[in-house]
Amino acid sequence: MSIVLVGAPGAGKSSVGRLLAAKLDTTFVDVDNRIEQVTGKPIAEIFADEGEAHFRELEEAATLELIQGAGVVSLGGGAVMNPRIREALRGHDVIWLEVSISQATRRVGMNNVRPLLLGNVRGRLIELLRERTPFYEEVATTRVMSDNRRPSEVAAELAEARGATQ
């Protein structure tokens, strides 16, 4: 069974995930990074060249494969919109890293490698969270607020709750 991190862009899934995996002495994999490795293209290029629908197909395949292993897996922010992924998450330790709009906006900034946030970053985050929050709530077995906290603090709390002694 894997530990799966979900949440909005800027919640800290990758940062916390790496630290949590280290504390639990296990592996870490970021689904978006795996897609980039396999395709040889950045996510933004996949969106531009093949479109969001193609990216979502790649995301589904990668997610369904990666959550079957042990370790910590960080999902893309929109993965929970996929019903097959939500179903596959049942039985896993799914951690929802919650983040406020203001914190997410600060963390993400004007990052142009996040194609769904181009333009009005704050407005897009509000819209994405409105769409995705019910699905984060549905799949989460643990909820943790990441606002005003260092990734190391969040990872330490999560590791301790999972029996890590480091």
Side-chain angles (χ1 to χ4, degrees):
M1 179 176 81
S2 57
I3 297 171
V4 183
L5 300 178
V6 299
K13 298 179 299 288
S14 296
S15 301
V16 170
R18 276 186 201 88
L19 295 166
L20 177 59
K23 288 185 175 302
L24 297 175
D25 194 29
T26 191
T27 59
F28 170 74
V29 64
D30 179 295
V31 171
D32 285 351
N33 288 347
R34 178 60 58 90
I35 292 168
E36 289 180 340
Q37 289 170 348
V38 169
T39 63
K41 293 173 119 174
I43 300 296
E45 262 185 54
I46 296 169
F47 266 76
D49 295 346
E50 286 94 10
E52 183 178 357
H54 179 69
F55 168 75
R56 295 297 175 194
E57 291 171 9
L58 295 171
E59 179 181 56
E60 178 182 300
T63 300
L64 295 178
E65 173 190 341
L66 294 170
I67 65 172
Q68 295 312 307
V72 178
V73 180
S74 171
L75 301 192
V80 296
M81 300 297 288
N82 180 315
R84 289 188 65 208
I85 291 174
R86 290 195 310 274
E87 179 64 30
L89 289 175
R90 292 175 202 249
H92 291 277
D93 184 359
V94 181
I95 301 166
W96 175 18
L97 294 181
E98 295 183 79
V99 65
S100 67
I101 295 295
S102 60
Q103 284 282 307
T105 302
R106 275 197 285 283
R107 292 176 186 176
V108 172
M110 297 306 287
N111 185 341
N112 63 3
V113 300
R114 297 177 189 261
L116 289 180
L117 296 180
L118 293 177
N120 177 352
V121 174
R122 183 178 174 80
R124 285 295 294 144
L125 279 169
I126 290 169
E127 183 180 326
L128 290 175
L129 276 176
R130 188 173 322 146
E131 293 171 355
R132 296 173 179 177
T133 293
F135 298 109
Y136 295 140
E137 290 173 339
E138 176 185 330
V139 300
T141 56
T142 302
R143 293 170 70 157
V144 161
M145 180 53 83
S146 68
D147 278 13
N148 303 311
R149 300 177 71 194
R150 293 187 319 272
S152 59
E153 291 175 64
V154 176
E157 176 186 323
L158 292 169
E160 184 179 328
R162 282 151 186 80
T165 57
Q166 297 183 11

